[in-house]
Amino acid sequence: MGQRIGIVGGGIVGVALARALAARGDDVTLLEKEARLAQHQTGHNSGVVHAGLYYAPDSLKATLCAAGRVRIREFCAEKGLPFREVGKLVVAVDDSEIPALNEIERRSRINGVPDLARIDDPARLHEIEPHAAGVAAVHSPHTAVTDYSTITEAMAQDVRAAGGRILLGHDVTGMSHENGRVRVHTPAWDDVFDRVIVCAGLHSDVVAGLVGGEASPRILPFRGEYWELAPQRTHLVRGMIYPVPDPRFPFLGVHFTRGVYDTVHVGPNAVPALAREGYSWRRWSAKDTWESLRWPGAWPLAKQHWRMGVDEISASLIKRRWYRKARRFIPELRMSDLTRKTAAGVRAQAWGRDGSLLDDFAVDRVGPVILLRNAPSPAATSSMAIADHVIAHHL
Ligand SMILES: Cc1cc2nc3c(=O)[nH]c(=O)nc-3n(C[C@H](O)[C@H](O)[C@H](O)COP(=O)(O)OP(=O)(O)OC[C@H]3O[C@@H](n4cnc5c(N)ncnc54)[C@H](O)[C@@H]3O)c2cc1C
């Protein structure tokens, strides 16, 4: 038997790590505070298996997304899980967006996005997405959709089959060093491990604090909301239609995605959540909001991005504003096509003291405890490659 390893967090990253460690013979125990796995980011996302278009060349996001996409595709094929390469079109709606589109094309080529095509002919654009409007685009035919909750459950079955334990309803509230090892506490349970790996998503800074980790980066929760397209109008979207993202911001912009179960959703936007698990405007935590406001990076961030913040919040509250943004990409879209808001997700975005938003995946270490400090999109795509990376470079 290898080492005794504890993992905090039963999202896709924690479970992928547990699976890889159990497979190599370590004695693995995964602790998840909820009654089921994948209840937070992993179960509330767009379901896109990214092909690596946007990420800074040589970043962890670029390399681990490319490797992770292939691993997810193979895993789905092996287990018979839903996976469809519906393809993604990133569309420049007018000439002002061409320089940013060129940059995406440049990064995509360096990152080795397979079979990427540049489209400057509207007729070709319409062959791919007949209802989309734009002056130019890049097309990634292997960008896919899947169901990350189902994948997480299938990985968890492998963990159990290899002798690992998954303890649900175990909220980690303390950790203490003990002769070079770590004792992990929940209110009703404790145990000691050679190594602990923290993959706690929206709570990764809080759990880091339990073991004396740096306060920075802090997690800034950003909610992403979705509207669903009426079933009789889903023919407007064949695969995925994305805007050219604003390079100053780490989110991709509201897009149209045909999901793996054939519903089409429009989103996610990015609005500050008023609680770490603030899935709607009604879910508010005075503690989380106060802690965000008194973080030194709050005011530099607000100063830099307030215009975009106002725009996103107003589109969240006023349907017509959301509709106007979406219609730029599909002129035939009617406001009544947006039928209902579906389950939102909250992104765990790491945020420095100086107000900067961390772009890349980030791993830190305090003695025998390894801390995933930033694992936003495309961490679901990259999950199995992140697991290999952590084991190879940090364990
Ligand atoms: C709106 C949205 C859209 C996205 N779209 C995509 C996409 O299309 N493609 C993609 O690749 N990525 C996407 N992402 C990002 C992706 O979902 C995340 O990067 C990924 O799920 C992160 O997985 P995780 O395991 O790190 O975190 P999580 O899934 O959040 O899991 C963390 C777990 O830790 C548990 N936990 C926290 N604290 C404790 C504690 N003290 N004790 C025990 N357990 C604890 C939580 O309950 C949770 O289950 C999206 C995210 C959002 C929010």
Side-chain angles (χ1 to χ4, degrees):
M1 187 59 87
Q3 307 188 77
R4 292 208 78 206
I5 301 186
I7 294 173
V8 183
I12 194 165
V13 176
V15 178
L17 260 158
R19 179 175 178 272
L21 291 166
R24 68 171 208 170
D26 287 315
D27 177 11
V28 177
T29 303
L30 182 142
L31 305 157
E32 166 53 51
K33 69 181 169 66
E34 305 293 348
R36 291 173 57 198
L37 297 171
Q39 292 303 289
H40 293 289
Q41 295 176 93
T42 300
H44 294 90
N45 60 39
S46 305
V48 177
V49 186
H50 290 286
L53 277 75
Y54 308 95
Y55 316 117
D58 295 328
S59 61
L60 287 177
K61 278 190 177 176
T63 52
L64 301 181
C65 179
R69 180 186 69 85
V70 175
R71 298 286 303 280
I72 289 282
R73 187 186 63 203
E74 289 171 357
F75 186 75
C76 290
E78 182 194 326
K79 304 282 180 185
L81 301 176
F83 179 96
R84 279 166 55 199
E85 290 189 345
V86 295
K88 172 197 286 203
L89 202 60
V90 181
V91 181
V93 171
D94 57 45
D95 289 343
S96 70
E97 295 178 348
I98 298 279
L101 185 74
N102 292 344
E103 174 60 12
I104 296 214
E105 183 187 0
R106 187 188 72 84
R107 289 186 173 200
S108 305
R109 301 225 180 265
I110 300 174
N111 293 345
V113 174
D115 299 325
L116 188 92
R118 169 74 183 218
I119 295 162
D120 286 307
D121 170 12
R124 174 68 189 127
L125 192 147
H126 288 136
E127 270 169 35
I128 299 168
E129 286 289 353
H131 303 278
V135 294
V138 293
H139 183 231
S140 161
H142 299 289
T143 300
V145 283
T146 190
D147 176 347
Y148 287 115
S149 300
T150 312
I151 292 177
T152 307
E153 287 297 341
M155 287 181 182
Q157 278 178 20
D158 286 353
V159 175
R160 295 187 186 101
R165 280 171 299 280
I166 295 187
L167 304 181
L168 301 172
H170 279 59
D171 185 358
V172 173
T173 48
M175 282 194 262
S176 46
H177 294 283
E178 215 172 273
N179 304 323
R181 303 174 85 205
V182 199
R183 184 167 291 279
V184 177
H185 305 261
T186 76
W189 172 100
D190 65 85
D191 204 348
V192 71
F193 298 97
D194 300 315
R195 293 270 188 281
V196 170
I197 309 175
V198 177
C199 311
L202 290 156
H203 299 266
S204 48
D205 53 347
V206 177
V207 182
L210 298 178
V211 75
E214 287 278 328
S216 183
R218 206 190 124 73
I219 290 296
L220 180 62
F222 267 103
R223 188 170 59 252
E225 302 160 329
Y226 299 90
W227 280 89
E228 191 173 304
L229 225 59
Q232 67 277 17
R233 300 285 284 168
T234 55
H235 67 275
L236 294 176
V237 180
R238 279 192 181 159
M240 294 171 228
I241 304 171
Y242 273 63
V244 177
D246 183 333
R248 293 165 305 164
F249 216 51
F251 309 124
L252 302 182
V254 165
H255 47 263
F256 293 80
T257 304
R258 176 174 287 275
V260 79
Y261 303 116
D262 264 337
T263 52
V264 174
H265 50 248
V266 191
N269 60 347
V271 290
L274 303 179
R276 284 176 190 267
E277 294 170 10
Y279 289 99
S280 73
W281 286 115
R282 284 187 298 280
R283 281 180 66 175
W284 181 63
S285 152
K287 182 172 176 287
D288 289 348
T289 308
W290 171 239
E291 283 176 0
S292 288
L293 288 175
R294 71 192 185 102
W295 182 247
W299 298 110
L301 182 81
K303 209 171 137 191
Q304 199 186 344
H305 293 301
W306 70 270
R307 260 180 229 283
M308 178 173 273
V310 170
D311 190 43
E312 290 282 299
I313 291 168
S314 64
S316 161
L317 297 171
I318 305 166
K319 182 179 175 186
R320 178 169 293 282
R321 287 188 176 245
W322 186 297
Y323 162 67
R324 281 207 196 115
K325 284 182 177 212
R327 196 188 50 183
R328 289 182 76 224
F329 300 91
I330 302 188
E332 285 169 61
L333 191 74
R334 299 186 295 237
M335 196 152 98
S336 57
D337 295 339
L338 304 175
T339 49
R340 62 179 187 118
K341 269 192 164 172
T342 56
V346 183
R347 305 171 182 90
Q349 174 61 50
W351 182 27
R353 262 182 217 290
D354 58 357
S356 59
L357 297 171
L358 249 74
D359 192 37
D360 209 359
F361 300 145
V363 187
D364 201 356
R365 183 178 186 139
V366 178
V369 182
I370 294 146
L371 304 158
L372 254 88
R373 301 291 307 240
N374 196 39
S377 186
T381 305
S382 317
S383 50
M384 296 169 100
I386 293 176
D388 291 346
H389 172 82
V390 170
I391 293 168
H393 298 282
H394 298 278
L395 206 60

